[in-house]
Amino acid sequence: MAKQTHRIGILGSGNIFGRYVTGLARYPELQIVRVGDIDAARAKQAAADHAIPAWGDDAELYADESVDIIVNLTPPVHHARTISTALAAGKHVYVEKPLATTVEEGRTVLAAAAGSGRILGSAPDTFLGSASQTARKALDAGRIGTPIGASAFIGHSKAETWHPDPRFLFQPGGGPVMDMGPYYFAILVNLLGPVRSVAASSRIGAPRRTVTAPQRAVDSIEVTVPTHAGAVLTFASGVIGTTQMSFDVWDTDLPFMEIYGTEGTLSLPSPNNFDGDVRLRRHGESEWTVLEPAVELFGAVGTREQARRGLGVRDLADAIEGGPHRANAPFAFHVLEALCAVDESSQQGRVVELGSTCDRPQPRFSG
Ligand SMILES: NC(=O)c1ccc[n+]([C@@H]2O[C@H](COP(=O)([O-])OP(=O)(O)OC[C@H]3O[C@@H](n4cnc5c(N)ncnc54)[C@H](O)[C@@H]3O)[C@@H](O)[C@H]2O)c1
């Protein structure tokens, strides 16, 4: 049976835009009908580059009655206001990560979604990929026994070497915690359930960064957000997570993420990708075993398929059609609250207890 068609308008046509266009092409029923940007000339160019039939400024996108879903690819500081405007215009919304940049903003968009009769979904969606789903299946099947601890290490994304305008990554709303942290925290919550408290310490590494990206908008950036953080997450289950999030660690041999249980260890690939080997080593075994993927792969690991986006938009479309909503707003809000607690704990020198909780999203694998 043919799938229901959803008409998509993309808000924001910057760096990640092309990866959404190519990723969404996997789902022919998700049709991109318009692109809107406060910089309308940029939207015009994006529409021409990708054969998108309509383009214009942001107001024209909100007003387009043929658009059902707005995919919001604006920088994080714009998320709260643009989500609320899109919901008020009667659109379902899928927003890039993080959901918003503060807990207060996050509460505002949750309330806006609840009162709108529309559905709000949020990146990251890599926790829906085969690696995270495979780890979840192994964990739920008890293959490492009872989970005790977890570790997660975020090294430098080196954005100033490739992003034409990486300013937002070194200002409040950016930094390694808000920019890369969502991928890691979403996977940890998907695996281990909600976080109860956060104890952290963070600092700015270099106060000024040199931008070397080709076609850069600026040559250097003043850094106004912590770029190196260490945080201990205590989960409601009692699991203790040890994390390091840094734009000052240029190279490292640390693993991306490991989960430690009474009977063994799970090792995960980069949470920034959808696929990759998940390895299991049970106590007494001398070798790691690579687990069978629990869901289909997007493509070979290391290829551009891994960087393309769109699975979270398909997940929102499932929810619109009455199915489960996995990358949902309460889940994204809980992840946001845990991320914001890193800075709060560091600034206030105390353990921060989280006010929110969430369910673990329904797995994508069956059985
Ligand atoms: N660049 C990446 O590799 C990457 C990867 C994953 C996720 N993301 C996320 O995607 C989002 C966008 O990142 P980016 O790197 O593409 O940013 P960008 O700065 O390259 O592009 C943002 C675009 O949004 C437009 N814009 C700004 N405010 C707007 C508004 N109020 N209404 C409409 N348009 C507006 C800008 O004119 C610009 O064209 C962020 O949330 C980021 O965290 C980016």
Side-chain angles (χ1 to χ4, degrees):
M1 203 173 74
K3 292 212 170 192
Q4 188 179 323
T5 298
H6 299 270
R7 291 170 63 87
I8 292 175
I10 300 189
L11 184 71
S13 48
N15 188 268
I16 190 76
F17 174 82
R19 275 178 274 165
Y20 267 87
V21 175
T22 51
L24 284 169
R26 293 181 184 124
Y27 312 104
E29 71 282 5
L30 304 182
Q31 295 174 357
I32 304 172
V33 297
R34 176 178 280 274
V35 50
D37 198 298
I38 43 168
D39 182 345
R42 191 178 269 199
K44 182 180 184 182
Q45 186 61 50
D49 291 346
H50 297 279
I52 295 169
W55 58 271
D57 65 15
D58 49 339
E60 287 168 281
L61 175 48
Y62 298 128
D64 186 337
E65 289 186 358
S66 74
V67 169
D68 313 310
I69 298 175
I70 288 189
V71 173
N72 184 342
L73 308 183
T74 63
V77 289
H78 299 281
H79 286 178
R81 194 174 50 76
T82 50
I83 291 169
S84 297
T85 307
L87 290 168
K91 314 298 187 193
H92 302 287
V93 179
Y94 181 79
V95 65
E96 248 306 331
K97 49 80 191 166
L99 177 68
T101 57
T102 66
V103 174
E104 292 67 33
E105 280 182 358
R107 283 203 189 97
T108 303
V109 298
L110 278 191
S116 70
R118 292 291 178 269
I119 304 178
L120 171 62
S122 176
D125 55 358
T126 48
F127 80 89
L128 299 172
S130 77
S132 178
Q133 295 292 314
T134 302
R136 167 89 179 255
K137 189 172 185 179
L139 202 67
D140 290 2
R143 299 198 61 189
I144 62 166
T146 305
I148 306 291
S151 60
F153 299 106
I154 300 177
H156 196 353
S157 59
K158 301 181 182 170
E160 60 265 58
T161 66
W162 56 264
H163 197 299
D165 191 359
R167 281 176 288 191
F168 76 89
L169 296 171
F170 295 94
Q171 295 164 355
V177 176
M178 294 301 258
D179 183 52
M180 295 302 290
Y183 299 108
Y184 289 68
F185 280 35
I187 287 183
L188 288 170
V189 175
N190 177 49
L191 295 178
L192 302 167
V195 177
R196 189 171 68 217
S197 66
V198 175
S201 188
S202 60
R203 58 164 290 182
I204 291 175
R208 185 160 279 281
R209 297 278 184 150
T210 303
V211 182
T212 56
Q215 296 170 340
R216 55 192 168 273
V218 290
D219 290 324
S220 79
I221 307 172
E222 189 195 349
V223 180
T224 54
V225 70
T227 50
H228 187 88
V232 173
L233 278 51
T234 303
F235 291 81
S237 64
V239 172
I240 297 171
T242 309
T243 64
Q244 176 174 283
M245 295 163 270
S246 185
F247 283 173
D248 294 295
V249 174
W250 285 78
D251 296 292
T252 174
D253 282 331
L254 287 168
F256 291 105
M257 186 180 286
E258 292 178 341
I259 314 290
Y260 313 106
T262 49
E263 293 173 26
T265 297
L266 271 174
S267 175
L268 280 76
S270 169
N272 199 10
N273 292 336
F274 292 94
D275 305 326
D277 286 347
V278 176
R279 299 178 306 144
L280 168 71
R281 190 158 164 184
R282 288 172 53 83
H283 297 336
E285 291 177 350
S286 55
E287 303 284 342
W288 293 91
T289 303
V290 175
L291 300 179
E292 251 338 283
V295 297
E296 77 290 351
L297 305 187
F298 272 144
V301 174
T303 63
R304 292 192 67 75
E305 282 301 319
Q306 298 302 316
R308 290 176 187 163
R309 296 296 191 255
L311 182 55
V313 185
R314 186 51 251 174
D315 177 65
L316 172 64
D318 288 342
I320 294 168
E321 294 169 21
H325 193 196
R326 298 177 171 96
N328 61 68
F331 175 79
F333 176 73
H334 183 69
V335 166
L336 172 68
E337 193 187 11
L339 294 165
C340 291
V342 172
D343 235 14
E344 189 181 340
S345 170
S346 178
Q347 279 171 14
Q348 300 183 3
R350 65 176 180 89
V351 176
V352 174
E353 305 283 335
L354 301 198
S356 70
T357 184
C358 68
D359 294 326
R360 292 195 310 162
Q362 189 172 316
R364 287 184 62 227
F365 52 85
S366 50

